[in-house]
Amino acid sequence: MRKANILLLAVLFLAIGAGIFYIFASEGKNVSDPGASAVTSTATPAPTATPETVTVATPEGAPAAAPELTPTFEPTPVLTPIPSPTPSPEPTPTPHVDHTASGEFHSDTGAWINIVAKWETVEEDGKVRLKIEAYVESYSLYYTSYNPENLVFTVDGKSYRTSHDPISVGDNDKTQTLLATQTVDIPVGCDLSVDVTWFCAGLTYGNKQLESITASDTIHIP
């Protein structure tokens, strides 16, 4: 048994040595004959593929590409300055003029009897009016007129007639008896002539016969 193993080992070593020899022998042949390993061949080069031009068809109904727009530059507008509004002048208020005025004037008969006219201006309904009161100034006096409208007011040339009641003054002191009152519209800022005439026909007073007594004056209206 031991001998068989030794023989088996010897055969194995021989086989390994033969293989190694064979390998070295093959390598030496390849090195000594270089022409054998070099293969000379005229190979036709593979054709180069020419790239084909591919046309992409535009599908029907597809919108055509919009042309490229060149931007248009608008000129910068020149701003016109807005003029400042000229303020309207405030209306000057009309100053109020006071048309208030008053006074009196009387006749001069020289017979202890006279007509006294007292006047004043009044403002009513946006108008200026002249109010005149006519008095007979006397001592004792009894008089009944038989003539209607025997008292006449004349203002700036326009006359207004009226009547008066009977006069009865028993006291022997100087007395003013109201005969009538007249009010008329007048202009302002002017002078007006005013007359008051009492037609006393048949009157005798202080030994003097009188047919009429007139008091007159020119008054200023502011």
Side-chain angles (χ1 to χ4, degrees), residues 3-21:
K3 290 181 180 181
N5 291 333
I6 294 171
L7 288 176
L8 184 58
L9 291 173
V11 174
L12 181 59
F13 282 120
L14 287 175
I16 293 171
I20 295 172
F21 177 77

Side-chain angles (χ1 to χ4, degrees), residues 71-155:
T72 303
F73 297 97
E74 296 182 358
T76 302
V78 179
L79 299 179
T80 302
I82 301 176
S84 300
T86 303
S88 301
E90 295 184 0
T92 302
T94 303
H96 175 71
V97 178
D98 187 4
H99 301 292
T100 303
S102 62
E104 68 176 61
F105 54 92
H106 54 85
S107 62
D108 186 10
T109 63
W112 301 342
I113 186 171
N114 283 291
I115 292 295
V116 177
K118 298 180 181 181
W119 63 271
E120 64 176 344
T121 56
V122 292
E123 294 188 43
E124 298 175 343
D125 302 328
K127 297 179 179 180
V128 178
R129 294 185 168 100
L130 178 65
K131 179 180 178 181
I132 308 171
E133 295 178 337
Y135 295 85
V136 57
E137 184 179 71
S138 67
Y139 295 91
S140 61
L141 175 64
Y142 297 94
Y143 181 82
T144 300
S145 174
Y146 297 100
N147 298 323
E149 297 183 342
N150 63 330
L151 186 65
V152 180
F153 297 87
T154 304
V155 179

Side-chain angles (χ1 to χ4, degrees), residues 38-44:
V39 178
T40 303
S41 61
T42 304
T44 303

Side-chain angles (χ1 to χ4, degrees), residues 10-75:
V11 174
L12 181 59
F13 282 120
L14 287 175
I16 293 171
I20 295 172
F21 177 77
Y22 178 75
I23 292 171
F24 280 103
S26 297
E27 291 293 330
K29 185 177 179 180
N30 291 335
V31 172
S32 61
D33 190 6
S37 60
V39 178
T40 303
S41 61
T42 304
T44 303
T48 303
T50 302
E52 295 181 1
T53 302
V54 180
T55 302
V56 180
T58 301
E60 294 183 2
E68 185 176 354
L69 300 178
T70 302
T72 303
F73 297 97
E74 296 182 358

